[in-house]
């Protein structure tokens, strides 16, 4: 299976995920993604504990901010979010949980 993006859309998330992982081959980029995702969870918990929904506005800023720094400065590619927003978000969380569970190197 090719890991490069086809001209047409991917048929499924399972077909997209190898491409997503290929676009995160730089270890520093992956680490920045995982840290950003962890911080998003911290902000979510903070919003719930403080009952202050304003914290929720920080979630996409932190999540995408960390991810895009990883792509632009370390991976040197265009984030998949721009072309595949939902599957990219799903890929972020799958990669996060694979890393957290030890299935993927940090």
């Amino acid at each position: 299976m090719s890991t490069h993006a086809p001209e047409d859309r991917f048929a499924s998330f399972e077909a997209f995920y190898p491409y997503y992982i290929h676009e995160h081959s730089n270890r520093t980029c992956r680490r920045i993604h995982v840290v950003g995702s962890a911080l998003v969870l911290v902000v979510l918990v903070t919003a719930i504990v403080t009952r202050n929904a304003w914290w929720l506005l920080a979630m996409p800023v932190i999540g995408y901010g960390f991810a895009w720094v990883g792509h632009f400065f370390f991976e040197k590619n265009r984030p998949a979010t721009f072309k595949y927003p939902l599957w990219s978000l799903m890929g972020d969380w799958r990669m996060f949980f694979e890393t957290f569970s030890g299935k993927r190197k940090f």
Side-chain angles (χ1 to χ4, degrees), residues 34-52:
V34 169
V35 169
S37 295
L39 290 173
V40 164
L41 293 176
V42 168
V43 169
L44 177 61
V45 169
T46 301
I48 292 168
V49 169
T50 64
R51 296 183 188 169
N52 184 344

Side-chain angles (χ1 to χ4, degrees), residues 3-77:
T3 56
H4 299 288
E7 293 299 318
D8 297 324
R9 306 291 290 179
F10 288 98
S12 68
F13 176 71
E14 290 305 316
F16 168 78
Y17 193 62
Y19 163 73
Y20 176 87
I21 290 300
H22 179 265
E23 294 294 295
H24 297 83
S25 56
N26 179 280
R27 191 172 187 182
T28 302
C29 180
R30 284 194 315 274
R31 286 178 171 173
I32 290 171
H33 270 66
V34 169
V35 169
S37 295
L39 290 173
V40 164
L41 293 176
V42 168
V43 169
L44 177 61
V45 169
T46 301
I48 292 168
V49 169
T50 64
R51 296 183 188 169
N52 184 344
W54 287 103
W55 282 103
L56 300 176
L57 295 175
M59 291 171 62
V61 173
I62 292 168
Y64 288 118
F66 272 72
W68 293 352
V69 164
H71 282 284
F72 293 130
F73 294 102
F74 297 98
E75 195 73 56
K76 308 239 190 267
N77 64 11

Side-chain angles (χ1 to χ4, degrees), residues 61-106:
V61 173
I62 292 168
Y64 288 118
F66 272 72
W68 293 352
V69 164
H71 282 284
F72 293 130
F73 294 102
F74 297 98
E75 195 73 56
K76 308 239 190 267
N77 64 11
R78 188 169 182 244
T81 302
F82 297 145
K83 191 168 183 181
Y84 304 98
L86 180 58
W87 282 351
S88 179
L89 181 63
M90 291 168 59
D92 286 344
W93 288 109
R94 181 170 170 182
M95 184 173 69
F96 174 80
F97 287 111
E98 286 177 352
T99 303
F100 190 78
S101 68
K103 291 181 182 176
R104 189 165 301 282
K105 286 188 176 186
F106 180 65

